[in-house]
Amino acid sequence: MLEFMQTIGKGIIQGVKQYIDNDLSSYVPFFIISLVILIFSLLLKLIRKYKSK
C-alpha cells in the first residue's frame, strides 16, 4: 500500500513538472496580454478619477 502511494505521488509530481515544462510556456503570451490589459484598465480608471476632481 505504501509503495502504491509513493508511485502515485511520483506520477503526480512528474505530471506537474511535465505540465510546467511543456504546456505553461504556451500560456505565457496570454498572461502577458492579460497583464497589459489589466494595467491599462487600472490606468484608465485612475485618469478618470483625477479628471472628475
Side-chain angles (χ1 to χ4, degrees), residues 22-53:
N22 298 340
D23 302 336
L24 207 60
S25 61
S26 62
Y27 291 115
V28 168
F30 296 114
F31 287 135
I32 292 172
I33 291 169
S34 60
L35 191 67
V36 167
I37 291 172
L38 185 70
I39 291 171
F40 185 71
S41 63
L42 287 173
L43 282 173
L44 278 178
K45 197 185 266 188
L46 279 172
I47 290 169
R48 286 184 188 142
K49 200 176 190 181
Y50 283 118
K51 276 188 174 181
S52 65
K53 284 185 178 180

